[in-house]
Amino acid sequence: MMQIAMQELQQHLSPQHTSMTLEEFLENDVEGFEYVKGELIPMAAASIRHGEIGLNLIWHLQDYVREHKIGRLYSLETSFKVGERVLKPDIAYVSNERISGDKEKGFTIPPDLAIEVVSPSDIQSQVTAKALAYLEAGTPLVWVIDPVSYTVTVYKSKTDIKILTQEDTLTGDNVVPGFSCPVELLFE
């Protein structure tokens, strides 16, 4: 019985080929999926820990962004065109200068900052590939938060990747200028 349930779950979580184009996906969006090269990629369900970490970061980052009136944060299910993909980061930041267009559809641009919180069902190579896809599409800063190792991997380019521990401070560099938060606060 358990084996049948696992097979059904794997089928549900497997990519599904679609005739939908990238533009059609952005136009109509499909809840719970990202779009990669003609396939709908199911998004993993978030765990309680995943949600707590995401909200901890939103708490600190949103206060800063709002106080300084420099842009907006977007949560999961907001679509961004990332090269030939449509991705939905757990949290995204877009500066005021880049916010435009129809707010009833997904963004036709990549975010300035993409933040992914690793889920228990995520595969590390896929998380890394996603971070690199953001960079290739023009996102200047990507944070990948790992609840297991209590780390944040900061991607600025394919060759500028840094792992921060709980003893470090996460900064917005020149993307969210002046923002900083001790990494340990994300895991409270």
Side-chain angles (χ1 to χ4, degrees):
M1 187 70 130
M2 180 67 153
Q3 187 176 17
I4 292 171
M6 288 301 289
Q7 287 173 342
E8 288 176 6
L9 180 61
Q10 286 174 334
Q11 286 176 338
H12 177 70
L13 294 177
S14 297
Q16 301 171 21
H17 183 73
T18 180
S19 60
M20 186 181 295
T21 66
L22 181 132
E23 289 75 20
E24 289 170 333
F25 187 92
L26 271 175
E27 189 90 11
N28 301 298
D29 209 343
V30 179
E31 188 175 330
F33 289 88
E34 294 179 318
Y35 179 94
V36 179
K37 300 175 185 172
E39 292 187 326
L40 297 177
I41 310 297
M43 297 174 67
S47 67
I48 293 170
R49 186 76 182 126
H50 181 281
E52 289 174 346
I53 291 167
L55 283 174
N56 285 344
L57 180 56
I58 288 171
W59 178 274
H60 296 286
L61 188 56
Q62 178 68 9
D63 278 353
Y64 185 86
V65 167
R66 214 175 229 171
E67 180 183 332
H68 292 84
K69 298 179 171 91
I70 56 175
R72 302 236 8 166
L73 287 189
Y74 297 91
S75 63
L76 187 63
E77 289 297 334
T78 303
S79 298
F80 290 87
K81 183 175 186 281
V82 178
E84 292 303 311
R85 304 170 183 227
V86 177
L87 300 178
K88 298 176 180 182
D90 291 315
I91 305 165
Y93 164 78
V94 180
S95 65
N96 285 332
E97 298 78 38
R98 297 184 66 231
I99 296 173
S100 65
D102 186 349
K103 291 188 178 188
E104 300 303 316
K105 300 176 185 170
F107 277 95
T108 58
I109 60 169
D112 293 299
L113 168 61
I115 303 161
E116 296 287 348
V117 180
V118 178
S119 297
S121 61
D122 280 336
I123 297 168
Q124 186 59 45
S125 62
Q126 292 174 343
V127 173
T128 302
K130 201 175 193 180
L132 296 176
Y134 284 117
L135 294 174
E136 289 169 10
T139 298
L141 187 60
V142 180
W143 297 339
V144 176
I145 303 171
D146 188 336
V148 174
S149 63
Y150 294 89
T151 60
V152 179
T153 303
V154 177
Y155 293 83
K156 295 180 189 176
S157 73
K158 285 184 175 182
T159 57
D160 189 356
I161 302 168
K162 184 184 232 178
I163 297 176
L164 304 178
T165 68
Q166 291 186 79
E167 296 182 5
D168 295 315
T169 298
L170 182 63
T171 66
D173 295 314
N174 60 347
V175 177
V176 187
F179 173 76
S180 68
C181 175
V183 170
E184 68 181 338
L185 294 182
L186 304 180
F187 301 103
E188 288 185 325

